[in-house]
Amino acid sequence: MNESATKDDVVLIAKRWKNKRGSLIMALHGLQNRFGYVPRDAAMELAEQMDVPLARIYEVITFYNYFKLKSPGKHVVSVCMGTACYLKGAPKLLKHASESLNISPGETSADGEFHLQMVRCVGCCGLAPVVTENETLLAKVTVDSLEAHLCKCKNKEKEKA
Amino acid sequence: MGRLTLQDLDARQGVQIQTFDKPWIKVGMSTCGLAAGADAVFNALVETIQSRSLDWRVTRTGCAGMCSMEPLVEFRVPGESPVMYGEMTPELARELVTHFADKRSLPDDHRVPGLAELAQAAGDPPRTGPRQYRIVMRNCGVIDPENIDEYIDRGGYQALKKVLSSMTPEQVIEELKTSGLRGRGGAGFPVWSKWKMTRASIGDEHFIICNGDEGDPGAYMDRSVLEGDPHAVVEGMIIGGYVIGAQTGFFYIRAEYPLAIERIEKAIKQARAAGLLGSNILGANFSFNIEVRLGAGAFVCGEETALIASVEGKRGTPSPRPPYPSVRGLWKQPTMINNVETLANITQVLLHGGRWFAGIGSGKSTGTKVFAVTGKVKYSGLVEIPMGMTLREVVEEICGGTASGGPIKAVQTGGPSGGLIPADKLDTPITYEHLQQLGSIMGSGGMIVMDETDSVVELSRFYLGFCVDESCGKCAPCRIGGTQILRLLNNIADGKGKEEDLVTIRRMAHAMQKASLCGLGQTAPNPILSALRYYEHEFRERLVPAHK
């Protein structure tokens, strides 16, 4: 990562939130939106810019599920594990994704292409089961339709390579 | 749009209906619709209409509630009743345009019941039969949520105008008392009482928070209202701010709902530009502003004190109550927390009157409730029904029973804090009290339908696993109790449980209910207790047979 670019981005985010009450979580969302996770050097820069102890930043990041400490990879595959999706076969989808990508839930593939995770309800229960891949939301997913989408992602990466 | 005056508001009401003189197509574009491909449908409609140089109107709208039929498209022809189409594709959308342009008639394929057939709207005369009644969702699937003019056109900000120009805060509270409106987040606390207590508390400043941290995995009505009618919630919050004497309000919304966040932010911006937020709102001596704060994935933040900690930018751990937030909340100031659905009711109570609202529903459960009916049901989606309707009417008559056509095994309400209702109890009316008697709760409105293939043991394990994951770890009963019950439950599910485990589970569950610090721990054992109450045999079937 380019160090000065990181710093500039963090400074901007800190500037936006510094003088607002209770805005640490908002600033952290800003970091995660920018980098895909909260990099340690960015967290340190934020601590300095916002005048907040680094320990307090990590106290918050580690409490909430949403914040990531490691780079999640290019394709974040999230299998919804809300109740409706669970009843309609989400565990099977998770197992399939895990086998197809050869990573366990919560892990990132060695080449950094895929990250697999469970999420708590994306609020699309009427279309259960649901899987998201970055911004794309797949509805009424079956093992076959999931595999087709994963293949598409894999091929895209191969083409680029 | 510049700052609005009281007269401007009136002049802008009901304009679109009068000027609606050409075909008008609305596409449902909330999260559900977009997931099902509404974007491509919208683009196909626009392209086809442009390529044929037709002078038609195509607009976006929110979620009509029929999520399993998305993408939904409503075709309106002046002078005729609107026709709704479900499960649209770009090809079907092109055909639809061509068909009407060439033949001046609408095709029959893919028609689904429209909003008017599904539901009675606020203000309509009563109708017979189990039907939806839309107060909270009155604008969802009807207006373009990103356009304040459409909201104002449908009577938006009239309640705010009425309050600011002719009502004292006490009169608003009195009207809410008459209405009997109770909090829709789960507990069902009387709204007027919360408003009155917060107003009466002394502090340097007062705050109002809208709880949009819809935590129950399986409920999404709050997302749908935030996405489909954001101004209604904003207006409800402004009125709340006026009544309790707040100058600042916060929306606390889950980060997992990016579209809801975007639409609320847009609504706030539009309201500010129109002078409906800021200083001297509608010329009155009242100033109010709204900020947005995002959650970050913590179920415990549905608990009021944890939510407040999170809005302050801290870890979302709860604190003992009292003091209640109405006395000492955000930054130790009097704070009122209302759920999204609660706030969306406020404008209608004030416009139509508390007595009107109290006339809908049953007993102490007045008004309507929105449910997310999902699971093994034929038509899953959002339904808003007058309280007092039976579970059977909702699940079988409105939602078509199970998808497989087989019998319903049970309905689960209240999510991880609720319980199971077996099929033979489905004739119970939906009220706060009746559901509680059955060992469940109203909750925020998740309603999961189970059929015979679903295992109660597995569902109990699912819910308890959820609560153990989400426990903040602050108090021992929840932290340790949950983990230990889950361990025993896993044993049972894997066929390694013993008779005495069932006794231990019950004992620990009761201890958790009594001794946990907050609602999460107090209610986490509900699903397993209710499962044991009605389906103990399913657990017993999996036990290790006792030695002879």
Side-chain angles (χ1 to χ4, degrees):
Chain A
M1 192 179 300
N2 182 329
E3 261 177 46
S4 65
T6 310
K7 192 176 169 184
D8 291 349
D9 286 334
V10 178
V11 169
L12 269 181
I13 292 166
K15 210 169 136 191
R16 174 162 179 212
W17 293 109
K18 189 174 178 179
N19 294 320
K20 294 212 168 136
R21 291 183 284 190
S23 57
L24 178 58
I25 293 176
M26 297 305 283
L28 289 170
H29 274 294
L31 288 190
Q32 179 146 314
N33 284 343
R34 169 65 187 80
F35 303 109
Y37 69 113
V38 185
R40 184 153 180 98
D41 51 353
M44 286 163 76
E45 186 64 39
L46 187 76
E48 195 165 304
Q49 294 292 336
M50 287 187 69
D51 203 11
V52 177
L54 189 63
R56 212 170 98 52
I57 290 183
Y58 274 87
E59 176 189 88
V60 169
I61 301 175
T62 54
F63 180 83
Y64 294 98
N65 287 329
Y66 196 80
F67 295 121
K68 295 190 181 73
L69 291 167
K70 285 188 195 149
S71 172
K74 260 187 223 162
H75 300 274
V76 180
V77 179
S78 311
V79 179
C80 180
M81 276 289 182
T83 319
C85 292
Y86 176 83
L87 279 184
K88 289 198 145 182
K92 233 185 274 170
L93 298 174
L94 186 66
K95 187 163 168 270
H96 177 81
S98 172
E99 284 165 8
S100 171
L101 300 172
N102 206 14
I103 41 174
S104 300
E107 284 181 3
T108 305
S109 60
D111 57 5
E113 293 298 337
F114 288 94
H115 179 83
L116 178 64
Q117 61 182 21
M118 293 183 270
V119 288
R120 293 284 190 223
C121 199
V122 290
C124 271
C125 317
L127 297 168
V130 170
V131 175
T132 65
E133 181 266 312
N134 294 349
E135 314 283 294
T136 314
L137 207 152
L138 312 171
K140 298 182 187 170
V141 183
T142 61
V143 166
D144 292 338
S145 71
L146 176 61
E147 182 55 33
H149 189 82
L150 293 178
C151 273
K152 216 162 77 187
C153 298
K154 287 179 197 167
N155 289 338
K156 217 183 270 170
E157 295 310 327
K158 269 188 209 146
E159 270 169 38
K160 272 188 216 159
Chain B
M1 177 161 50
R3 286 178 67 98
L4 293 176
T5 62
L6 297 176
Q7 291 77 17
D8 292 340
L9 264 184
D10 290 341
R12 283 166 187 261
Q13 205 185 343
V15 178
Q16 304 210 18
I17 302 303
Q18 293 156 26
T19 55
F20 161 53
D21 57 359
K22 53 193 177 191
W24 183 1
I25 304 176
K26 299 183 186 182
V27 185
M29 293 181 83
S30 282
T31 300
C32 292
L34 293 171
D39 243 338
V41 170
F42 185 84
N43 292 340
L45 286 169
V46 172
E47 277 163 28
T48 321
I49 287 169
Q50 277 174 355
S51 72
R52 300 198 46 158
S53 316
L54 298 164
D55 182 26
W56 296 2
R57 206 173 151 201
V58 186
T59 57
R60 296 176 167 83
T61 183
C63 166
M66 294 171 278
C67 309
S68 58
M69 314 248 207
E70 296 277 8
L72 289 165
V73 165
E74 190 188 55
F75 206 115
R76 300 178 72 106
V77 180
E80 289 174 37
S81 3
V83 178
M84 188 80 94
Y85 291 92
E87 300 189 314
M88 289 300 277
T89 60
E91 294 74 46
L92 287 167
R94 277 182 216 112
E95 266 175 50
L96 186 62
V97 173
T98 321
H99 195 283
F100 188 78
D102 295 341
K103 303 185 186 151
R104 302 310 285 179
S105 72
L106 287 168
D108 292 327
D109 282 358
H110 283 263
R111 281 196 192 201
V112 294
L115 285 174
E117 293 147 74
L118 281 177
Q120 177 181 345
D124 282 0
R127 290 200 291 208
T128 51
R131 264 182 203 278
Q132 298 193 46
Y133 192 133
R134 295 199 164 179
I135 297 175
V136 172
M137 291 179 66
R138 66 192 173 276
N139 286 331
C140 292
V142 178
I143 63 167
D144 178 351
E146 300 192 8
N147 185 346
I148 190 173
D149 287 333
E150 290 203 21
Y151 179 68
I152 292 173
D153 183 60
R154 297 258 301 172
Y157 291 105
Q158 287 291 333
L160 178 65
K161 178 193 134 182
K162 182 174 174 185
V163 166
L164 291 183
S165 60
S166 67
M167 291 175 91
T168 62
E170 287 76 16
Q171 283 171 321
V172 175
I173 290 171
E174 204 49 42
E175 203 65 51
L176 288 174
K177 190 174 178 181
T178 311
S179 77
L181 175 66
R182 295 164 69 174
R184 298 293 192 243
F189 192 76
V191 173
W192 71 270
S193 172
K194 208 180 215 180
W195 287 37
K196 190 173 177 178
M197 284 191 301
T198 319
R199 175 170 169 76
S201 297
I202 295 161
D204 299 334
E205 59 181 313
H206 287 57
F207 294 108
I208 175 169
I209 301 176
C210 172
N211 180 358
D213 190 49
E214 194 162 44
D216 172 0
Y220 59 102
M221 62 288 301
D222 291 351
R223 170 182 72 68
S224 195
V225 172
L226 291 171
E227 287 178 5
D229 197 10
H231 281 285
V233 192
V234 168
E235 188 181 355
M237 185 188 261
I238 302 173
I239 293 170
Y242 168 76
V243 170
I244 65 165
Q247 294 198 334
T248 311
F250 288 93
F251 269 98
Y252 184 76
I253 308 175
R254 299 180 70 197
E256 288 87 344
Y257 289 174
L259 188 63
I261 296 162
E262 189 188 315
R263 293 212 171 135
I264 278 293
E265 281 177 341
K266 221 171 245 181
I268 293 171
K269 215 184 237 174
Q270 289 171 349
R272 197 170 290 143
L276 297 161
L277 281 172
S279 45
N280 300 102
I281 294 169
L282 288 174
N285 183 21
F286 168 59
S287 304
F288 188 71
N289 272 302
I290 299 180
E291 292 179 36
V292 176
R293 290 288 184 269
L294 307 189
F299 179 61
V300 69
C301 288
E303 169 75 18
E304 290 195 337
T305 53
L307 189 153
I308 285 171
S310 190
V311 174
E312 288 176 354
K314 301 178 190 152
R315 288 166 74 98
T317 47
S319 2
R321 300 184 300 179
Y324 288 93
S326 55
V327 178
R328 226 172 109 98
L330 193 60
W331 293 296
K332 303 192 171 65
Q333 302 302 320
T335 303
M336 182 167 80
I337 303 175
N338 285 135
N339 159 274
V340 170
E341 196 182 330
T342 310
L343 287 179
N345 268 301
I346 300 294
T347 59
Q348 299 304 297
V349 170
L350 296 173
L351 281 177
H352 299 284
R355 207 167 290 155
W356 164 81
F357 192 85
I360 304 160
S362 163
K364 284 186 186 165
S365 301
T366 57
T368 60
K369 177 78 193 83
V370 186
F371 287 96
V373 189
T374 61
K376 300 296 176 65
V377 70
K378 190 166 179 192
Y379 303 116
S380 64
L382 295 176
V383 296
E384 180 173 355
I385 48 121
M387 280 197 267
M389 189 180 269
T390 67
L391 286 155
R392 189 180 303 284
E393 284 172 319
V394 172
V395 175
E396 290 187 350
E397 294 183 38
I398 294 181
C399 296
T402 60
S404 62
I408 291 172
K409 178 175 184 173
V411 170
Q412 208 276 358
T413 66
S417 310
L420 287 165
I421 297 160
D424 62 0
K425 302 258 187 315
L426 286 184
D427 290 314
T428 310
I430 300 171
T431 68
Y432 290 96
E433 290 72 24
H434 283 96
L435 293 183
Q436 219 158 30
Q437 277 164 20
L438 292 180
S440 187
I441 56 165
M442 179 79 76
S444 58
M447 194 181 272
I448 313 278
V449 179
M450 298 169 72
D451 66 15
E452 297 290 341
T453 62
D454 295 316
S455 156
V456 167
V457 179
E458 293 301 330
L459 188 73
S460 308
R461 179 148 81 153
F462 169 81
Y463 277 128
L464 193 64
F466 177 87
C467 289
V468 168
D469 268 0
E470 295 294 336
S471 169
C472 78
K474 184 167 175 174
C475 75
C478 174
R479 184 181 67 236
I480 302 171
T483 310
Q484 292 302 328
I485 298 177
L486 185 62
R487 192 177 56 86
L488 294 174
L489 191 56
N490 281 335
N491 276 345
I492 294 174
D494 298 340
K496 290 183 243 158
K498 301 195 190 77
E499 175 77 33
E500 60 262 34
D501 291 345
L502 293 179
V503 182
T504 316
I505 287 179
R506 281 201 168 97
R507 209 179 57 224
M508 284 199 288
H510 289 302
M512 263 180 95
Q513 284 181 323
K514 286 207 184 84
S516 295
L517 176 62
C518 83
L520 193 156
Q522 288 159 10
T523 60
N526 290 0
I528 173 107
L529 284 175
S530 97
L532 283 171
R533 177 170 169 184
Y534 297 113
Y535 297 94
E536 192 174 324
H537 58 277
E538 286 196 26
F539 291 83
R540 288 190 170 277
E541 279 161 16
R542 299 208 189 186
L543 295 180
V544 175
H547 287 292
K548 295 270 152 66

